[in-house]
């Protein structure tokens, strides 16, 4: 299990800011269940949903940013758990970009690849690996999506969500798997002990001029849209919704 506890360039849990956070929150003194619960909740809700400059930034940078998406939040989650002695590994995928509609306004999709690099974290608990993906969307943001679209138990894809039943989606740590984008998976790349290896092998979502445009301009506009949803909710009419990014519901 030692490979699942290693520090890496991305999982830089010896960083002073990470060590101070762990000390302040006393996660290193908790039993495994409570440590996972508290770290999971921190990454889900205190590191709010948003788009960082790159998928490969280290955990300390995600913590400094204070926001993240599937891949970057996963990096921080892995680092914090390893720092308190809990084994983690990464499961790599691609997801269909359509599940991002709404979070990412529709007019940005000409720059987005059809499939987007995605990952969730597997945590070793009670003698088995538990799949955790429910930390991606903070509860404040998810509540606005559920308020608008979660009145019935039907499949939903959009606004960073891809689930079979939005109304009943469970994203709390209860010792078992949690999912929030699983139904949007396109390709399964399997298990990686280190996120560094996954991105070195599979690359990232954007390259060249598109990556620079995303990093310095587009992601800030996207993050403004996400903040607006978190604060004000989602337009009630389909016409208004389609202007900011259509949702897909079946």
């Amino acid at each position: 299990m030692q490979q699942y506890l290693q520090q890496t360039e991305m999982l830089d849990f010896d960083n002073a800011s990470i060590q101070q956070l762990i000390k302040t929150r006393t996660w290193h003194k908790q039993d495994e269940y409570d440590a996972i619960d508290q770290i999971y909740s921190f990454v889900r809700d205190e590191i709010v949903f948003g788009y960082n400059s790159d998928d490969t930034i280290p955990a300390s940078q995600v913590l400094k940013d204070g926001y993240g998406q599937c891949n970057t939040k996963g990096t921080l989650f892995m680092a914090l758990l390893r720092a308190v002695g809990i084994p983690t590994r990464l499961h790599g995928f691609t997801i269909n970009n359509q599940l991002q509609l709404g979070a990412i306004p529709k007019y940005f999709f000409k720059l987005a690849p059809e499939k987007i690099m995605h990952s969730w974290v597997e945590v070793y608990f009670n003698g088995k690996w538990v799949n955790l993906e429910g930390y991606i969307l903070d509860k404040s943001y998810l509540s606005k999506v559920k308020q608008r679209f979660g009145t019935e138990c039907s499949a939903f894809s959009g606004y960073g969500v891809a689930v079979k039943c939005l109304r009943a989606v469970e994203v709390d740590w209860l010792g078992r798997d949690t999912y929030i984008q699983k139904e949007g998976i396109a390709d399964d790349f399997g298990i990686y002990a280190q996120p560094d290896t996954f991105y070195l092998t599979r690359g990232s979502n954007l390259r060249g001029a598109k990556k620079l445009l995303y990093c310095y301009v587009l992601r800030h506009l996207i993050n403004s849209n996400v903040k607006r949803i978190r604060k004000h909710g989602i337009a009630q009419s389909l016409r208004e919704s389609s202007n900011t990014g259509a949702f897909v519901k079946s």
Side-chain angles (χ1 to χ4, degrees), residues 37-55:
D37 182 26
Q38 292 174 30
I39 292 171
Y40 178 92
S41 296
F42 172 83
V43 172
R44 184 190 62 203
D45 296 325
E46 296 187 55
I47 305 298
V48 296
F49 176 51
Y51 294 82
N52 310 91
S53 60
D54 192 85
D55 284 333

Side-chain angles (χ1 to χ4, degrees), residues 138-169:
D138 59 275
K139 279 196 165 181
S140 295
Y141 174 88
L142 180 59
S143 69
K144 294 299 193 296
V145 180
K146 292 177 73 173
Q147 284 171 16
R148 175 64 184 87
F149 302 113
T151 56
E152 298 179 3
C153 191
S154 56
F156 180 85
S157 180
Y159 291 89
V161 178
V163 295
K164 291 181 178 179
C165 178
L166 180 61
R167 185 180 64 191
V169 65

